[in-house]
Amino acid sequence: MNRIQNFKNGLIKDNPVFSLFLGICSTLAITTSINNAIGMGVSVIIVLTMSNVIISMIRKITPDEIRIPVYIVIIATLVTIIQMLIQAFAPALNESLGVFIPLIVVNCIILGRAESFASKNGVFDSALDGIGMGCGYTLAVLAMSVIREVLSTGGILITNPFNTAQVILDLTLFPEDFTISLFGSPVGAFITFACLAAAVGAYKTHLDSKEKAKEK
Amino acid sequence: MKKILHLTLFLAIVSVLAGGALAFFNEITEPVIAKNNEKQEQESLLEMYPDADPSTFEAIDISDLDSTTINKVYQYNDLYIFNMSVPGYKDGTTFLVSINSSDLTIDKFIAISNGDTSGLGTQVLEDPFKESLEGNLADGELDTISGATVSSQPVVDGIHEAAEKISQLK
């Protein structure tokens, strides 16, 4: 029960982006299209889960004084491996995500979870936490990118990341004359982010007041 | 003393393991990445000459050309195709230009990317500029774009340089 709760918390209540405000930089930058969001989300889930597992595995033999450098080496290695794989097998994705793939190394979600969860909990729990938090991040970037892409292009376009010529979904919701190009720019990213963070905040307050009412 | 040794050794072992993992994955992905890049390059050449057989583009060794702007040179029949990156207002322009080796006329010009001001510098990507270059002599007078001189002049200079280097390539 507790484990499921942990996993679920990462999705909305303790969402790393909208609630813990971690890793916002990449969130603002790459959410211009749904393709990017999916690619980035999957990369973060993989890196986060694997780093959590490895760090949890070596938590008992890691000397406390050098734990941060050790974590950084592990995370950087994983990110570089992911980057090489993306470069080799999904070059189009590599081009559109650009510098934000190597920057996953300094994404605070990953070091944050390593330090606050994986270094204190077992391998299985850490893996679950990694998947939960990774899904939370993915959910956040997906929500932002759907809003931004629909408003700035008037539709949704998803292509196969391994072959950009292959279109998986091409939806036009309203004509191009009514699009708001502002949402494709950084300003739009901040507006979208603020609205979603406010919504998650309101939901959290609602949950808290419900709990308090129960206690009474 | 023992403590320091322990810490150093631990970090060293972690780093060696990390290095090993990276080397292993590099081994797997490196040939695929090289192949991808080669394919991408050929695609841009094919955009220039859609009917050509990709194997007829012959890459030329430019190690003794001594140029900072020429990235690559290909030979295609009696044409030399230059892949060049020239500076501009901000990020500059990367383009392909094919020059006839006998009379130095510009056969085709394709601007691949330009990182300058949108609407001004980026005019080097548009058709009027391309059309103003094609068919003219690569070592003769070429038009720049008024209002975007900082972006278009280096392109023209680059083409002049390419024309100059052709004598060395022959």
Side-chain angles (χ1 to χ4, degrees):
Chain A
M1 179 64 208
N2 207 0
R3 278 182 176 153
I4 299 168
Q5 198 59 39
N6 266 350
F7 178 80
K8 261 169 62 189
N9 276 353
L11 288 182
I12 295 179
K13 200 169 152 256
D14 282 336
N15 186 294
V17 178
F18 294 132
S19 178
L20 306 177
F21 294 105
L22 293 173
I24 295 169
C25 169
S26 59
T27 313
L28 295 173
I30 56 104
T31 49
T32 44
S33 78
I34 297 171
N35 274 335
N36 286 354
I38 295 172
M40 190 73 178
V42 171
S43 314
V44 168
I45 293 177
I46 295 172
V47 172
L48 191 51
T49 311
M50 290 182 65
S51 74
N52 263 6
V53 166
I54 295 173
I55 286 164
S56 166
M57 264 168 20
I58 60 163
R59 73 184 189 279
K60 285 189 179 134
I61 54 165
T62 312
D64 208 34
E65 295 90 338
I66 53 161
R67 63 181 198 285
I68 300 282
V70 169
Y71 297 165
I72 293 282
V73 169
I74 291 170
I75 295 168
T77 309
L78 287 171
V79 171
T80 314
I81 290 172
I82 295 282
Q83 192 197 359
M84 290 195 285
L85 289 174
I86 291 181
Q87 227 172 351
F89 301 110
L93 193 65
N94 180 55
E95 214 155 275
S96 59
L97 290 177
V99 74
F100 291 100
I101 289 284
L103 278 181
I104 297 177
V105 177
V106 288
N107 191 319
C108 359
I109 299 173
I110 297 176
L111 190 60
R113 290 327 284 177
E115 170 73 7
S116 71
F117 197 93
S119 61
K120 298 184 188 93
N121 290 282
V123 174
F124 185 68
D125 285 325
S126 301
L128 268 188
D129 177 74
I131 299 173
M133 282 287 160
C135 288
Y137 176 87
T138 311
L139 207 68
V141 285
L142 265 182
M144 279 185 70
S145 64
V146 167
I147 295 174
R148 290 182 68 191
E149 185 168 332
V150 167
L151 288 179
S152 67
T153 66
I156 291 172
L157 177 71
I158 301 175
T159 55
N160 182 348
F162 301 105
N163 173 17
T164 33
Q166 192 186 337
V167 176
I168 295 172
L169 177 71
D170 189 1
L171 253 179
T172 309
L173 298 175
F174 52 88
E176 217 167 272
D177 294 346
F178 300 101
T179 59
I180 312 169
S181 58
L182 174 86
F183 278 91
S185 65
V187 182
F190 277 105
I191 294 173
T192 317
F193 178 78
C195 293
L196 286 174
V200 171
Y203 176 69
K204 267 169 73 180
T205 326
H206 169 74
L207 277 188
D208 283 349
S209 61
K210 226 165 126 187
E211 240 166 65
K212 262 184 204 155
K214 244 188 206 169
E215 274 168 24
K216 275 175 192 171
Chain B
M1 189 61 204
K2 214 177 149 197
K3 180 100 196 163
I4 293 177
L5 214 68
H6 175 216
L7 296 182
T8 320
L9 215 68
F10 190 86
L11 198 53
I13 291 171
V14 170
S15 306
V16 167
L17 287 178
L22 284 178
F24 175 74
F25 276 93
N26 189 40
E27 197 88 337
I28 299 175
T29 53
E30 202 183 13
V32 187
I33 294 172
K35 220 166 136 195
N36 281 346
N37 290 343
E38 203 178 308
K39 205 172 132 204
Q40 211 172 8
E41 244 172 56
Q42 271 184 356
E43 263 163 27
S44 63
L45 291 174
L46 279 176
E47 200 183 320
M48 216 169 189
Y49 297 103
D51 305 327
D53 174 8
S55 59
T56 51
F57 299 115
E58 193 191 330
I60 294 175
D61 179 32
I62 51 162
S63 46
D64 33 296
L65 262 194
D66 188 32
S67 163
T68 52
T69 53
I70 299 174
N71 301 325
K72 281 214 166 102
V73 181
Y74 298 87
Q75 190 166 18
Y76 171 62
N77 298 333
D78 51 350
L79 296 164
Y80 282 104
I81 306 174
F82 290 81
N83 178 327
M84 308 184 79
S85 294
V86 295
Y89 180 70
K90 240 164 64 193
D91 292 338
T93 315
T94 299
F95 62 90
L96 287 172
V97 61
S98 63
I99 300 172
N100 194 311
S101 60
S102 50
D103 57 2
L104 291 183
T105 49
I106 300 172
D107 193 56
K108 286 223 165 114
F109 172 87
I110 288 182
I112 299 170
S113 69
N114 175 280
D116 295 341
T117 317
S118 176
L120 286 169
T122 51
Q123 287 179 69
V124 299
L125 301 174
E126 290 164 14
D127 280 345
F129 185 57
K130 172 186 162 80
E131 282 154 16
S132 80
L133 295 172
E134 287 176 1
N136 285 313
L137 283 176
D139 59 346
E141 201 170 292
L142 296 169
D143 289 339
T144 56
I145 304 169
S146 64
T149 324
V150 184
S151 298
S152 55
Q153 185 65 50
V155 174
V156 169
D157 291 344
I159 295 173
H160 285 158
E161 189 191 344
E164 230 170 78
K165 299 287 184 197
I166 282 184
S167 57
Q168 288 182 40
L169 290 171
K170 275 185 194 167

